[in-house]
Amino acid sequence: MTGTKASIRRMKDLPSTHLLGTGTPMCAGCGGLQALHEIYDILGEKTVFVNAAGCMTLLSVYPFTPFRGSWLYTAMASSPAGAQGIRDALDILRERGELPAEEDLQVVVLTGDGAAYGMGLSATSGAMERDLDFIYICYDNEGYGNTGQQYSGATPHAAKTATSRGAHGFAGYKKDLFSIWAAHRPAYVGTVIGAEPLDLAHKIETVKQLRGPRMIIALAPCPTGWDYDPGESVNIGRLAVRTGIWPLKEYIDGKVVHTRIPRGRLPVEEYLKTQGRFAHLFAPQRDDALLAELQARVDAYWDGVTS
Amino acid sequence: MYRIRFHGRGGQGMKTASRILGSAFFLEGFEVQDAPRYGAERRGAPIFAYVRAARAAINERGIISRPDLVVVADDTLVPVPASGVLSGIGARTVLLINTTQNTSAWQQRLNISGPVITLPASAEVEDRADLPYIGATCAGAAARLVGVIARDTLAGAIRTELSALGAGVIDRNLENALQAYDIMQAHSGLVREGSMTSAIKYAHPDWADLPFDTARISAPTVFATANSVEVRTGLWRTLRPVVDYSRCNHCWWVCSTFCPDGAIAVDTDGKPVIDYDHCKGCMICVAQCPPHAIEAVSEEQAQRDTTTGETP
Ligand SMILES: Cc1ncc(C[n+]2csc(CCOP(=O)(O)OP(=O)(O)O)c2C)c(N)n1
Ligand code: SF4
Ligand code: SF4
Ligand code: SF4
Ligand SMILES: [Mg+2]
């Protein structure tokens, strides 16, 4: 890590007061909200959020907001462009001496996977190309959650969605957004999950120390879209890590480092069987061929991991 | 025209209930409208769906304000003003409530003279995994109350509307719905059609004309910080997490961090305190607490215990 001194070493060091207001319209057990509240506790209130259409748009529905700073809504494909405008405005105020350094704000883009992996990719690419000083948080619930879980560029192979109802689920494959983003050589790219708050906290502390484009993808277990009981969100999040389906890693100083290499990886079906969206892999008949394919893909990924 | 409203919580299948009933009416030769009504609400939040059915073209649109039948899938919603269960109920409105309490208790509590029918299906709601089935059950009971839908028609509508869910789920829904249909036999035809509205006789309400303001005034800008706390999402809860402090070992970083809603505060002794005004009842804290010091209690039971002075 570049020059960061982690102040959060153990679970005990995590914040005990929470900045994000209660009373939001996110579903009970929302893994995206869990990750956001953990991230916000560490980023702090000197932030301005730029949001693209998705579930989290509903966080700030007039006249209510859970944020302690400003929030701006943009069209689905354009949040990084909105972030550019805000950053520029803040920089102008700084230059004119109208904004003291200690009152400057971090500009934080918050979008779902539909925007991040698809519609908003071009604007994000442009922002990284311009070395925009911003943080991008994508909460990845692997589909268009707010409109009823249609498939997106983040939907995993074989998952059932509102638009992938066949016997084998979604025919496509989840895009590797981490690599797409890292190929732009931004200051930082990291994957996190709310179920691993310590790993998340370390990464957000790192991000706070850096400048330039800092990109975060949070896998967001979604009881509504993935079809499971809301109380299981953390267990499912942990299984995503322990089966190797969701690698925790970061790209920093031009290198990719895995922050957690799961020893004795659990079979992927331990994760898949917890969710209704994969139920067709187990009933009425077990789809051994498809299960083996999904396992082989995860094995192949980890076979290539050395650090 | 029949005007019917289904009230429940997100996830209890009220949209499905309205679709099943709508299809059943349609198969009986009616003109039908059915629509769910929800905005930002999520699983557990109060939602409703409605059905209009008539032998002639339906010119009326929008939310039903004068219902002939109101079906309540979850009786904990009745006292919640935001759910609008009692909105527009008149002397001839039939109220069908899924409840363990009896008709006269509800008539007395709500001070209404119209017919109240109870649907003793409440046990189903105790099991969260079965929540979706209550929608079909409500549709089955409603189909019998209107008295113009045959048993076979109801079954056909359920098969069509749930076709994507697989045989097991369809069978379970069919069984529940037909059972509810049979239970309501004595009340068949109790719900009567309201009169059609006429555009000619329509008198618009006393509108208040609002002037057109400049964007600076009319644009919805929020100047407050974290004022979402004014929204009581605790209403969504069907299960309540209760900490047994004698077993709690003050490892607040577990429950307080994992609670997606930030509804677990930590007091100066490191003791977790659950904010019931906002806890949505997801049960993540119950699942994660290492010494199993948090218990899931039925919200209905917890509220009853609180009003009788016992602490749950
Ligand atoms: C250009 C555009 N197309 C479609 C929509 C409708 N829409 C609103 S939210 C949403 C889903 C967004 O999915 P995602 O970004 O994954 O966020 P999630 O809803 O899953 O939180 C869609 C398609 C829109 N607002 N703008
Ligand atoms: S649909 Fe999923 S991501 Fe959206 S609020 Fe609900 S749980 Fe969260
Ligand atoms: S996780 Fe359980 S034991 Fe730990 S503080 Fe919370 S309630 Fe107490
Ligand atoms: S059940 Fe527990 S984790 Fe869920 S909202 Fe309530 S306090 Fe938070
Ligand atoms: Mg999404």
Side-chain angles (χ1 to χ4, degrees):
Chain A
M1 273 191 239
T2 36
T4 51
K5 205 166 99 261
S7 60
I8 297 179
R9 292 166 191 283
R10 301 162 302 176
M11 288 288 282
K12 269 185 197 190
D13 302 326
L14 290 169
S16 61
T17 51
H18 307 301
L19 287 179
L20 197 69
T22 50
T24 64
M26 301 300 103
C27 303
C30 174
L33 185 65
Q34 183 182 57
L36 179 66
H37 108 82
E38 292 174 15
I39 293 170
Y40 192 46
D41 278 347
I42 295 167
L43 281 184
E45 27 189 295
K46 285 190 191 152
T47 37
V48 44
F49 280 80
V50 190
N51 181 250
C55 289
M56 297 259 180
T57 308
L58 305 173
L59 287 174
S60 286
V61 175
Y62 184 79
F64 301 112
T65 178
F67 293 109
R68 288 164 197 275
S70 290
W71 177 91
L72 177 81
Y73 176 60
T74 67
M76 207 169 153
S78 5
S79 288
Q84 178 84 53
I86 296 172
R87 187 63 262 160
D88 289 350
L90 289 165
D91 286 346
I92 290 167
L93 290 175
R94 292 276 296 114
E95 268 166 35
R96 286 192 196 154
E98 290 170 23
L99 184 73
E102 64 278 11
E103 283 180 29
D104 199 0
L105 303 171
Q106 290 271 9
V107 184
V108 185
V109 165
L110 175 67
T111 81
D113 49 285
Y117 285 70
M119 275 187 237
L121 200 46
S122 161
T124 315
S125 177
M128 286 191 277
E129 191 182 307
R130 297 188 303 273
D131 198 31
L132 177 64
D133 185 24
F134 80 128
I135 297 170
Y136 191 133
I137 302 168
C138 163
Y139 61 97
D140 180 359
N141 62 0
E142 307 192 315
Y144 288 109
N146 194 42
T147 43
Q149 199 70 3
Q150 295 80 13
Y151 77 77
S152 77
T155 301
H157 188 54
K160 182 179 154 189
T161 74
T163 40
S164 335
R165 288 180 178 273
H168 306 293
F170 179 53
Y173 293 88
K174 188 179 176 80
K175 275 189 207 171
D176 183 359
L177 185 64
F178 180 92
S179 298
I180 295 170
W181 277 355
H184 291 75
R185 305 189 155 272
Y188 185 89
V189 188
T191 59
V192 299
I193 190 160
E196 296 291 350
L198 206 51
D199 178 80
L200 177 147
H202 290 152
K203 287 171 176 163
I204 304 303
E205 283 195 316
T206 304
V207 152
K208 259 182 104 168
Q209 312 291 325
L210 300 171
R211 67 163 303 288
R214 289 151 290 164
M215 321 296 287
I216 303 282
I217 316 172
L219 185 69
C222 168
T224 313
W226 298 6
D227 187 14
Y228 65 83
D229 192 274
E232 290 303 307
S233 281
V234 171
N235 291 337
I236 288 174
R238 276 202 202 103
L239 280 170
V241 175
R242 294 186 57 199
T243 55
I245 282 192
W246 187 246
L248 293 174
K249 54 184 171 180
E250 52 191 7
Y251 166 90
I252 187 166
D253 295 337
K255 285 196 296 289
V256 176
V257 176
H258 285 77
T259 54
R260 179 83 56 87
I261 299 182
R263 304 280 166 219
R265 259 186 295 119
L266 295 174
V268 290
E269 65 173 278
E270 295 299 311
Y271 170 77
L272 303 172
K273 73 183 183 195
T274 57
Q275 301 156 51
R277 64 177 174 156
F278 295 115
H280 55 283
L281 297 178
F282 302 96
Q285 289 94 250
R286 231 182 112 84
D287 192 338
D288 282 313
L290 199 42
L291 284 166
E293 185 198 333
L294 294 170
Q295 183 65 58
R297 286 183 172 271
V298 172
D299 292 345
Y301 175 87
W302 289 101
D303 285 346
V305 170
T306 50
S307 63
Chain B
M1 174 165 34
Y2 289 104
R3 295 174 179 86
I4 297 160
R5 271 199 330 246
F6 289 94
H7 290 265
R9 293 177 182 276
Q12 289 175 339
M14 294 302 101
K15 180 176 159 189
T16 309
S18 74
R19 292 192 61 141
I20 292 172
L21 188 67
S23 285
F25 267 122
F26 182 77
L27 293 171
E28 293 290 357
F30 282 76
E31 292 278 327
V32 178
Q33 279 178 7
D34 68 71
R37 175 79 183 190
Y38 49 79
E41 296 82 359
R42 302 283 163 167
R43 181 135 110 171
I47 65 136
F48 66 94
Y50 56 87
V51 178
R52 287 190 179 88
R55 298 277 184 193
I58 301 174
N59 296 318
E60 208 173 279
R61 295 288 183 271
I63 296 168
I64 290 174
S65 52
R66 297 261 166 248
D68 307 308
L69 169 64
V70 168
V71 185
V72 188
D74 186 327
D75 62 354
T76 59
L77 289 175
V78 179
V80 176
S83 67
V85 170
L86 300 175
S87 155
I89 286 191
R92 46 174 293 283
T93 310
V94 177
L95 192 59
L96 174 71
I97 312 184
N98 170 26
T99 182
T100 51
Q101 283 153 300
N102 63 27
T103 297
S104 57
W106 282 108
Q107 265 165 334
Q108 205 177 0
R109 184 176 314 161
L110 303 177
N111 191 22
I112 51 173
S113 51
V116 176
I117 312 285
T118 61
L119 180 64
S122 229
E124 273 187 286
V125 198
E126 309 269 315
D127 182 354
R128 292 188 64 89
D130 278 349
L131 282 178
Y133 296 110
I134 194 70
T137 309
C138 288
R144 192 58 175 267
L145 289 178
V146 294
V148 292
I149 295 171
R151 203 173 187 272
D152 286 349
T153 310
L154 171 68
I158 291 174
R159 286 200 187 90
T160 315
E161 290 299 337
L162 304 183
S163 61
L165 300 180
V169 177
I170 295 179
D171 289 347
R172 184 83 199 272
N173 276 290
L174 268 177
E175 190 187 317
N176 289 352
L178 294 174
Q179 199 185 342
Y181 184 91
D182 295 339
I183 292 173
M184 291 298 143
Q185 186 183 9
H187 306 296
S188 178
L190 182 68
V191 175
R192 280 166 298 119
E193 290 188 66
S195 55
M196 299 288 274
T197 36
S198 142
I200 297 157
K201 286 195 216 133
Y202 178 80
H204 75 68
D206 271 337
W207 304 118
D209 282 324
L210 290 176
F212 185 79
D213 284 317
T214 59
R216 221 186 149 73
I217 294 167
S218 62
T221 306
V222 183
F223 293 102
T225 61
N227 66 343
S228 57
V229 300
E230 300 298 334
V231 182
R232 301 292 149 109
T233 44
L235 292 177
W236 302 11
R237 197 171 53 232
T238 51
L239 287 174
R240 177 187 292 206
V242 179
V243 181
D244 174 354
Y245 288 108
S246 69
R247 281 193 285 159
C248 166
N249 57 27
H250 296 198
C251 52
W252 54 263
W253 48 90
V254 178
C255 54
S256 179
T257 303
F258 285 135
C259 172
D261 286 89
I264 305 183
V266 184
D267 77 2
T268 44
D269 305 328
K271 195 177 87 175
V273 183
I274 298 178
D275 167 5
Y276 291 122
D277 283 342
H278 298 100
C279 157
K280 293 171 185 164
C282 69
M283 302 292 114
I284 287 179
C285 55
V286 174
Q288 297 307 318
C289 171
H292 305 289
I294 314 180
E295 199 193 338
V297 184
S298 136
E299 180 64 21
E300 201 188 353
Q301 185 62 44
Q303 283 181 12
R304 227 179 290 147
D305 291 350
T306 317
T307 46
T308 56
E310 286 168 47
T311 38

